[in-house]
Amino acid sequence: MKFVVINGSNLNLLGIREPEIYGSRTYAALVEMIKTHAKEKQVEVSFVQSNHEGDLVDAIQQAYFDKADGIIINPGAYTHTSIAIMDAVKAVRIPTIEVHISKVSEREAYRQVSYIREVAEETIAGLGFEGYNLAMDHLIEKLGEKK
Ligand code: DQA
């Protein structure tokens, strides 16, 4: 199985940005954590991080051309604004799990809207970095059931 982990705007600043919300671990540490988990689960994983909406759309399309089995995506603030990212997920029809480090449902009203939620298999929020590993486990489970 082959997964792509896509992180959007400002997630490259993990460890620096609002550590009281997002914790003190860095984006590099997040990637390492996910790589270790993927190794344990014997799945292939690749990573994309961009602060640009179109790059995230390109990454989702690339997942299709690369025949990825699943997408784990945290679009950052684009979660709350981007119809383009939602359309890309819809277009490629690759099982996708939406992840948020913070518990968005208990934050500002403008974070309650998620365009991606309606096209995602599932949303995992508020579990910190662990949410990404959990998303991977859920994708493995879901894809196993489909076989
Ligand atoms: C976030 C939540 C978003 O509202 C915010 O804009 C982010 C990070 C999260 O992981 O908790 O950049 O997606």
Side-chain angles (χ1 to χ4, degrees), residues 29-145:
L30 174 69
V31 168
E32 278 315 305
M33 183 205 75
I34 300 169
K35 274 188 186 166
T36 303
H37 193 69
K39 213 172 189 178
E40 277 166 18
K41 298 283 169 175
Q42 297 182 311
V43 297
E44 244 182 76
V45 71
S46 62
F47 298 87
V48 175
Q49 189 282 323
S50 176
N51 296 321
H52 306 280
E53 186 177 13
D55 285 351
L56 301 173
V57 170
D58 285 345
I60 294 162
Q61 292 187 7
Q62 195 57 47
Y64 173 80
F65 295 119
D66 293 343
K67 298 189 169 33
D69 299 295
I71 296 173
I72 295 163
I73 187 165
N74 180 352
Y78 292 124
T79 305
H80 318 300
T81 60
S82 181
I83 297 169
I85 292 172
M86 175 188 72
D87 278 349
V89 170
K90 238 186 200 171
V92 298
R93 293 176 187 266
I94 298 171
T96 297
I97 297 192
E98 174 191 12
V99 174
H100 299 287
I101 294 166
S102 66
K103 198 162 192 176
V104 274
S105 60
E106 291 180 3
R107 298 183 63 194
E108 301 92 336
Y110 52 80
R111 292 186 209 274
Q112 313 294 319
V113 177
S114 167
Y115 284 98
I116 193 142
R117 185 177 299 145
E118 63 181 84
V119 293
E121 297 267 330
E122 197 188 330
T123 298
I124 297 172
L127 299 181
F129 281 18
E130 200 47 45
Y132 291 84
N133 285 350
L134 205 63
M136 188 181 288
D137 293 346
H138 288 193
L139 277 176
I140 293 168
E141 215 172 285
K142 277 175 209 288
L143 291 164
E145 282 165 12

